[in-house]
Structures are given as C-alpha cells and as structure tokens.
Amino acid sequence: MKILVLIGSLSKTSINRSVYEAYRKVVGDQASFEEGRFDDFPLYNDDILEVGTPVPVERLGRQIGQADAVIFFTPEYNYSVPGGLKNALDWISRLKPQPFAGKPGAIIGSSPGKVGTARMQYHLRQIGVFLDLYFMNKPEVMISGAKSLLDEKGELVDEATLEHLKKHFAKFAEFTAKLA
Ligand SMILES: Cc1cc2nc3c(=O)[nH]c(=O)nc-3n(C[C@H](O)[C@H](O)[C@H](O)COP(=O)(O)O)c2cc1C
C-alpha cells in the first residue's frame, strides 16, 4: 500500500510531523510512505494557470495519482485548514483528471490545545467532498494536548496515542482495500 502524506505544517519542529514519524514507525513495512511537498507552490491565481500549471503543482498531482491512499497530518489554524495546505488543495482542484477523485483519505490532526483540530478536520472533510476524495469516517484521530505526549527530542512517546495510531492504520488499510 502506497500512501501519499500531506503535512499541513511547514515548520521543521512541527508536532504534526512528529506524529507522522510515529505513524510510519507503528506501520513499519505494512505500507510505504511518500511526502507530497507544496511549500514551493505560488499563491493560487487564475492568471498563472492561464499561462500553464506550475511544475510543483503537476509534481504533486502526479504523486497523488500514483498513490493508493492519502493521509493528511495537519494542525488547525484559526479553526480551519492551514493556509498553505488550502492553497495546495486549491491548485490541485484545478487539475484534470482530478487526482484525488475516488482516493481513500484519512485525517490525523494534533494540537497543543484542547480541541485536537476537530474544527479543521470538518472543514477539510468538506473540501474533500468537492475533490471527490473518500475520507474514512472512523476512527477519527484528534490529538489534543499534543506537546505533553512528546519527549525532549520531539518524538511521540505516549503509549495510548501510539496504540490509537496502530488501530487507525489497521482500519485504514481495510478501508483502502474495500475501495480498490
Ligand atoms: C496562525 C495560527 C493559528 C492557530 N490556530 C489554532 C487553532 O485554531 N486551534 C488550535 O488548536 N491551535 C491553533 N494554533 C496553534 C497550533 O495548534 C500550534 O502552533 C501547533 O503546534 C501547530 O502545529 P505544528 O506544531 O504541527 O506546526 C494556531 C497557530 C498558528 C500559528
């Protein structure tokens, strides 16, 4: 199973990146992971598209198209999807054929606060409707108080959370197989 990963935070010290690293570890060799970058995308503008699709957008579109499934590891910004990720999704939404269409998807969100990205996750699901991306409903992964779950090196060490990630992958693998 080939999973394309989109990380909504551009920070090197991102909690969400740490959770992605932990997810990779618990999944081990049951799947392969590839990260899709979008930090080199221009801000979306129709005028740019008129000249042609930017190379980085085409690159990510290809990566999505070649993947069996997509997982978003992302924070919540101002109760919604971080701007950089939203910009990437706006660009990808213009591609034909639509690479997200019919793909299985999952959302894993972490925040230091109490709500664990819940508000962002429902916005992202709404965007997924337009993209025809099939998000798995359950189990949801909304990791709150996330800073306290990491060790001093920034690695996710909380056993209960690691167990939840393991269960998430088991369900997501089943979900992906059903859609194949
Ligand atoms: C612009 C901005 C908006 C934020 N809005 C929220 C928010 O709505 N809800 C929340 O729980 N945390 C919010 N935060 C705090 C982030 O959850 C926190 O910075 C988190 O560490 C970001 O994820 P990362 O570590 O993966 O980069 C916000 C942070 C920034 C920079």
Side-chain angles (χ1 to χ4, degrees):
M1 180 176 170
K2 196 171 167 189
I3 300 174
L4 193 272
V5 169
L6 292 169
I7 300 179
S9 171
L10 303 180
S11 164
K12 285 195 202 91
T13 59
S14 161
I15 295 170
N16 285 275
R17 178 171 290 283
S18 294
V19 172
Y20 162 52
E21 296 298 344
Y23 194 85
R24 277 180 79 146
K25 269 195 199 148
V26 301
V27 169
D29 58 10
Q30 300 174 85
S32 69
F33 292 87
E34 180 174 283
E35 188 178 334
R37 277 183 56 204
F38 51 82
D39 56 328
D40 51 354
F41 281 25
L43 288 178
Y44 182 82
N45 184 337
D46 270 345
D47 304 348
I48 300 175
L49 191 58
E50 256 171 47
V51 180
T53 304
V55 171
V57 175
E58 279 184 346
R59 179 196 66 219
L60 182 59
R62 254 193 325 272
Q63 285 178 297
I64 296 164
Q66 287 165 0
D68 299 313
V70 183
I71 305 184
F72 293 80
F73 290 84
T74 175
E76 172 178 282
Y77 279 1
N78 298 307
Y79 292 8
S80 190
V81 178
L85 176 59
K86 178 64 164 60
N87 182 59
L89 295 176
D90 290 341
W91 271 112
I92 296 295
S93 75
R94 301 298 92 190
L95 297 180
K96 290 190 182 78
Q98 174 45 238
F100 278 123
K103 292 273 172 208
I107 306 170
I108 294 181
S110 308
S111 84
K114 291 203 171 100
V115 185
T117 76
R119 295 159 293 212
M120 175 283 297
Q121 293 205 14
Y122 287 104
H123 283 186
L124 186 50
R125 285 180 182 276
Q126 183 175 331
I127 294 166
V129 174
F130 181 77
L131 297 171
D132 204 15
L133 172 54
Y134 296 167
F135 277 124
M136 179 170 74
N137 287 327
K138 285 184 179 175
E140 293 180 299
V141 186
M142 298 168 175
I143 303 174
S144 56
K147 272 196 181 145
S148 66
L149 310 177
L150 309 181
D151 67 10
E152 65 287 347
K153 287 183 283 178
E155 282 177 28
L156 180 67
V157 287
D158 181 68
E159 282 303 325
T161 308
L162 291 168
E163 195 51 39
H164 191 44
L165 295 181
K166 210 180 206 171
K167 284 191 185 141
H168 178 274
F169 176 74
K171 288 283 177 199
F172 190 52
E174 265 176 38
F175 180 75
T176 298
K178 261 191 236 158
L179 288 181

